[in-house]
Amino acid sequence: MCGRYASTRSPQDLTRLFQATDWLPGEKLAPSWNVAPTDDVYAILERAARGEGDEVRRELRRLRWGLVPPWAKDPKVGARMINARVETVHEKPAYRRAFVKRRCLLPADGFYEWEPRKDETTGKTRKQPYFIHPTDCQVMALAGLYEYWRDPDVDNDPTAWLITCTIITTEATDAAGRVHPRMPLALTPDHYDTWLDPHHQNTDDLRALLTQPAGGLLNARPVSTAVNNVRNNGPHLLDEVA
């Protein structure tokens, strides 16, 4: 799974890296070294511009992490839908419509996973957090889906709409596989255009993009258990511990 990650790049950097043409300054987010479920996060997505035919514009948007399906009665279900398994994402009722029409990329510096370790002194098992990131320190483009949910109890108000997202996970490889059996699935730049294009709706073609990353690209280092508390934030969370 992916339950925590770091995302510290500025919107200016992200629009340049992902060639996004649109972003709203009012949606600016502070850097976070401890992004947690239900937090607002940056996402890259493409949508057809209203009144401009089929023209598609690439946007940097602020979404809430934890997908809420359109049919959900309560948005709280999003807290349980932070991840979607690559093996079944195209067929699960909560995700299959978004998989066809509403795909996105979630920029990340890296992600956290926890490895159970037994304390030889006490005999108790504790979980050691690791920060897992690209060896070249480039941004990770985590494959995701987004969805719209409208509050049925609110009329004629833009705040009635909630836009949420989920991260697609896969079997862990490379350094991540030594820590946890699952990991977020990151796309390579040559797949960005096809993945984001809302007009590309061939399920088989889209699934073919979601392949496991090549070995040797990720590094994992043990970090402080301070990351376990979602209230803790700052670059010190990435410091390696003995």
Side-chain angles (χ1 to χ4, degrees):
M1 64 173 295
C2 175
R4 213 72 66 78
Y5 67 97
S7 181
T8 65
R9 286 172 167 80
S10 70
Q12 292 83 0
D13 284 344
L14 294 176
T15 53
R16 176 181 54 82
L17 287 168
F18 291 96
Q19 299 180 335
T21 56
D22 296 349
W23 77 280
L24 301 175
E27 293 190 351
K28 185 176 181 180
L29 293 169
S32 178
W33 291 264
N34 199 2
V35 179
T38 73
D39 282 353
D40 284 352
V41 298
Y42 281 133
I44 306 294
L45 54 89
E46 289 187 354
R47 297 192 302 169
R50 289 184 178 181
E52 298 184 29
D54 293 331
E55 181 186 355
V56 171
R57 303 179 71 89
R58 184 169 296 184
E59 305 175 2
L60 176 66
R61 294 298 306 271
R62 176 176 177 166
L63 312 184
R64 193 175 81 172
W65 185 19
L67 189 138
V68 181
W71 40 261
K73 295 182 179 180
D74 191 323
K76 292 180 181 179
V77 302
R80 302 194 302 270
M81 296 186 182
I82 62 170
N83 293 159
R85 294 176 67 91
V86 68
E87 297 87 350
T88 56
V89 65
H90 62 293
E91 58 189 15
K92 289 288 186 180
Y95 307 122
R96 61 190 179 197
R97 286 181 57 189
F99 185 77
V100 173
K101 296 183 177 181
R102 287 178 286 278
R103 299 174 300 275
C104 62
L105 297 171
L106 290 302
D109 303 329
F111 59 96
Y112 298 95
E113 289 295 359
W114 283 257
E115 179 186 42
R117 285 187 177 180
K118 186 176 182 179
D119 189 314
E120 298 300 332
T121 302
T122 64
K124 295 182 179 180
T125 298
R126 65 181 181 87
K127 289 187 175 182
Q128 171 62 52
Y130 283 79
F131 183 64
I132 302 168
H133 64 95
T135 55
D136 59 5
C137 295
Q138 295 298 308
V139 67
M140 299 183 75
L142 308 183
L145 309 176
Y146 70 97
E147 193 56 274
Y148 295 93
W149 181 83
R150 189 184 186 284
D151 188 340
D153 297 324
V154 178
D155 294 325
N156 302 319
D157 190 332
T159 61
W161 289 96
L162 181 65
I163 312 178
T164 59
C165 61
T166 190
I167 294 173
I168 297 175
T169 65
T170 187
E171 183 179 349
T173 60
D174 204 51
R178 297 194 293 271
V179 178
H180 192 275
R182 303 290 297 183
M183 64 181 285
L185 197 156
L187 293 183
T188 54
D190 57 316
H191 289 163
Y192 292 173
D193 291 348
T194 303
W195 179 251
L196 293 175
D197 184 359
H199 299 312
H200 198 120
Q201 300 183 3
N202 184 292
T203 303
D204 291 337
D205 288 351
L206 294 167
R207 292 186 67 201
L209 302 177
L210 303 176
T211 57
Q212 289 182 338
L217 299 180
L218 296 176
N219 180 56
R221 63 173 179 266
V223 295
S224 168
T225 55
V227 73
N228 296 353
N229 188 330
V230 297
R231 291 188 292 272
N232 293 331
N233 215 318
H236 65 283
L237 296 179
L238 306 186
D239 292 342
E240 186 169 3
V241 298

